[in-house]
Amino acid sequence: MRRPGLGYIVGAYEHPLRDAPDRSVAQLHAEVAAGALADAGLTKDDVDGLFCGPDTPGTGPLSMADYMNLNLRHVDTTNTSGSSYLIHVAHACQAIAAGKCDVALITLAGRPRQEGKAKGSLKRADNPNQPDFEFEHPFGIQILGVYAMVAQRHAHLYGTTAEQMAWVKVAFSHHAQHNPNAKLRNVVTVEDVVNSPLVADPLHRLDCCVVTDGGGALVVTREEIAKSLDRPLVKVIGCGEAPYGQAGGYAEITDSGARRSGATAYAQANVTPADIRYASIYDSFTITAMVQLEDLGFCEKGEIGAFVSDGGLISGSGRLAVNTDGGGLCNNHPVNRGGMTKALEAVRQIRGEAHPAVQVPDCDLALANAIGGQLGVRHASSTIILERG
Amino acid sequence: MGKTTPVMSLSDAPMWQSIENGKLALMACKTCGTYRYPPSPICPKCLSMETEWKPIAGTGTILSWVVFHRKYFDDFPPPYNAVAVRLDEGPIIMTNLVGEEPEGSWIGKRVSLEYVDHDGRRQHAARIAE
């Protein structure tokens, strides 16, 4: 017995560009906002709630609300890095239920390729005044170094191999060949991944996501409005959010907040992992998706290597269709934040609007999960579960 | 590009001073005795604000490691490594392994801390224990 919809996603739009040298960040936000509203069949005058992260230029939501001339009665700038945008979906549902807004707009956009972040050569983006910064940074530790440590330890504890990790990239590349907007559309093999240059042992170049400009937007509303629109109904039935930290230096680095955010969302939706037909899983690196998949209960902890092997994540032939847009590893990773794009492909799957080659037949239940921050040290996981209305 | 740049804040200065002195000290809770890292204003176990800086033995076990093959910082030419060490006092610290690198997996190897000059500053490093 599933629960009633917490809210409905009626608009979803992904910016088609992966390189945006001629657009400002504000313009990208405006374009994705307009795209999602057009997709929903709504106008800017319908929007009364704005949800955004620190990628939005200006002071919180103020500049974009001003540029778009929105008449708002609710704003939310929750920031848990890349997982923010799935939390925004949850918070939009809560705000709608509380009567604080009727039509919530969520945007993400940016142009890291134009700002020098594409080469990994900039110092890590964390605020140097954050208390933990100086206890990792002086030792040359970069964001992907922490993920590499998670991968090394996962291999040590569970025997996970580089070839198994490579299967994640291989699966998403099979999906990306069908996505005309994907940054990388070439199908790769396990050999291609493990023979690509080591970046941070054991992560190879092809274990790492792309860096892209662009963005995306969502529109969330209440049932009556959703049913008045001419779009397939996408119902939010479960949400979870869970920060996970070092606990004073005692936490297990191969665990993630997805265990708690997933359990919360499954309980609210009254479904189990076995019910999920499609999953969007944040994939900054191959290991990132693997840790979330096992913490979300799609397999036992430590068994993800076998689960992803032999095309386990390929739509149609695998064990679970994951990231049918090509994911962050192949499609896009706007602003180096993952949550928005994860929601977008999950909405397409529920609507039946994914590319026919990767569409899950009769996809009535989908999950999207994102990690914001960094596995291993401090992050927040967010989960949403969507059902066809 | 650029160099790594330590930022000194009020609650961290005693740790860097202990490194200068060649004997790493960590915050420990005066109420429950739990060591913690990184430094933080409150005990994550009991929320006590009563804190003291206590020297540690400087021994531990490698929890995980990474070898970077790309250049990210001018003061860390590749290849260079970083290790997460589970100190015998409990917390995990991040540092660099100096000296001989183990064959195969580094995880589980015993290490002892020492103090090295890195680009004009003194910081800790780990070395495989005999």
Side-chain angles (χ1 to χ4, degrees):
Chain A
M1 180 65 187
R2 285 169 198 162
R3 304 202 180 198
L6 309 168
Y8 288 74
I9 299 178
V10 293
Y13 181 78
E14 180 175 311
H15 204 288
L17 290 184
R18 301 295 178 262
D19 279 282
D22 303 324
R23 282 167 166 82
S24 70
V25 174
Q27 188 175 359
L28 290 169
H29 274 273
E31 286 176 351
V32 295
L37 287 167
D39 179 54
L42 293 168
T43 73
K44 77 168 188 65
D45 294 330
D46 297 311
V47 176
D48 59 358
L50 181 61
F51 294 69
C52 57
D55 50 288
T56 297
T59 300
L62 299 183
S63 293
M64 286 314 300
D66 190 17
Y67 290 155
M68 294 191 283
N69 193 19
L70 302 177
N71 292 311
L72 302 175
R73 57 191 182 102
H74 189 80
V75 293
D76 183 326
T77 54
T78 299
N79 177 24
T80 58
S81 195
S83 53
S84 307
Y85 311 90
L86 298 184
I87 290 181
H88 291 163
V89 172
H91 289 189
C93 292
Q94 293 161 15
I96 290 165
K100 301 298 183 187
C101 62
D102 289 312
V103 175
L105 173 65
I106 308 168
T107 67
L108 161 98
R111 52 206 296 275
R113 295 190 68 82
Q114 316 308 321
E115 291 161 4
K117 291 178 183 164
K119 295 184 175 129
S121 56
L122 285 192
K123 289 176 187 174
R124 46 191 282 182
D126 301 351
N127 180 349
N129 291 320
Q130 77 179 53
D132 32 58
F133 179 84
E134 63 169 306
F135 307 105
E136 294 153 24
H137 179 76
F139 304 97
I141 293 172
Q142 232 268 359
I143 286 174
L144 83 173
V146 180
Y147 283 87
M149 286 192 188
V150 171
Q152 287 282 22
R153 187 156 178 82
H154 204 280
H156 175 82
L157 290 175
Y158 306 116
T160 312
T161 66
E163 286 76 14
Q164 290 174 329
M165 288 166 51
W167 271 110
V168 176
K169 167 75 176 185
V170 171
F172 299 170
S173 79
H174 273 263
H175 299 151
Q177 67 178 313
H178 304 294
N179 181 350
N181 294 328
K183 178 76 176 163
L184 302 175
R185 295 188 67 191
N186 57 315
V187 174
V188 300
T189 65
V190 168
E191 289 69 34
D192 290 335
V193 179
V194 299
N195 291 329
S196 65
L198 271 173
V199 179
D201 192 3
L203 299 178
H204 299 81
R205 182 177 162 81
L206 294 186
D207 285 299
C208 305
C209 64
V210 298
V211 177
T212 61
D213 303 337
L218 295 165
V219 179
V220 182
T221 189
R222 64 172 68 255
E223 182 173 4
E224 307 85 85
I225 297 173
K227 288 185 171 169
S228 75
L229 300 170
D230 188 26
R231 295 298 275 136
L233 289 173
V234 180
K235 191 164 64 166
V236 181
I237 59 169
C239 303
E241 57 197 73
Y244 186 91
Q246 292 166 297
Y250 297 85
E252 170 53 50
I253 67 169
T254 56
D255 286 345
S256 77
R259 190 171 293 184
R260 200 159 69 238
S261 70
T264 304
Y266 289 133
Q268 189 172 30
N270 198 22
V271 300
T272 69
D275 298 324
I276 302 295
R277 305 289 314 284
Y278 166 79
S280 280
I281 305 291
Y282 180 52
D283 52 339
S284 52
F285 304 99
T286 50
I287 187 67
T288 320
M290 294 169 81
V291 167
Q292 289 166 86
L293 282 166
E294 56 187 14
D295 286 351
L296 288 165
F298 291 109
C299 64
E300 293 295 315
K301 190 73 186 175
E303 294 180 1
I304 191 61
F307 188 88
V308 303
S309 289
D310 304 318
L313 306 184
I314 296 179
S315 182
S317 59
R319 296 170 185 87
L320 176 69
V322 176
N323 292 3
T324 43
D325 61 333
L329 287 166
C330 300
N331 177 19
N332 63 345
H333 190 219
V335 210
N336 305 322
R337 289 175 164 233
M340 173 61 71
T341 54
K342 296 295 161 269
L344 294 172
E345 183 68 2
V347 168
R348 288 190 201 101
Q349 281 286 352
I350 291 290
R351 287 173 167 179
E353 295 179 353
H355 189 282
V358 297
Q359 173 69 48
V360 174
D362 196 30
C363 184
D364 60 346
L365 203 57
L367 175 149
N369 203 85
I371 293 284
Q374 300 167 53
L375 280 186
V377 283
R378 63 201 72 82
H379 62 262
S381 175
S382 55
T383 311
I384 61 171
I385 297 175
L386 307 179
E387 185 183 31
R388 194 186 306 142
Chain B
M1 205 67 71
K3 292 181 177 182
T4 61
T5 47
V7 180
M8 197 68 73
S9 68
L10 284 176
S11 65
D12 318 322
M15 193 189 84
W16 290 98
Q17 187 59 50
S18 75
I19 290 169
E20 273 302 315
N21 299 341
K23 184 74 176 169
L24 177 65
L26 293 189
M27 277 181 162
C29 176
K30 283 173 85 168
T31 305
C32 75
T34 304
Y35 281 90
R36 62 184 186 260
Y37 186 87
S40 59
I42 194 163
C43 175
K45 191 172 176 190
C46 72
L47 297 190
S48 167
M49 304 243 199
E50 297 297 317
T51 302
E52 59 186 330
W53 287 87
K54 288 170 70 173
I56 56 154
T59 51
T61 306
I62 294 179
L63 185 91
S64 197
W65 93 104
V66 55
V67 176
F68 292 98
H69 293 272
R70 283 188 63 184
K71 186 174 179 180
Y72 296 103
F73 306 105
D74 288 337
D75 53 332
F76 281 96
Y80 70 97
N81 72 64
V83 290
V85 174
R86 171 79 69 196
L87 294 172
D88 290 343
E89 287 80 2
I92 302 167
I93 67 164
M94 301 286 200
T95 189
N96 306 112
L97 187 75
V98 295
E100 194 181 340
E101 296 182 353
E103 290 288 317
S105 177
W106 299 10
I107 296 174
K109 303 289 184 192
R110 294 286 296 167
V111 293
S112 56
L113 290 189
E114 57 186 66
Y115 302 88
V116 297
D117 285 317
H118 175 86
D119 197 50
R121 66 175 184 262
R122 199 160 159 80
Q123 58 190 43
H124 53 68
R127 184 182 290 273
I128 299 292
E130 291 305 317

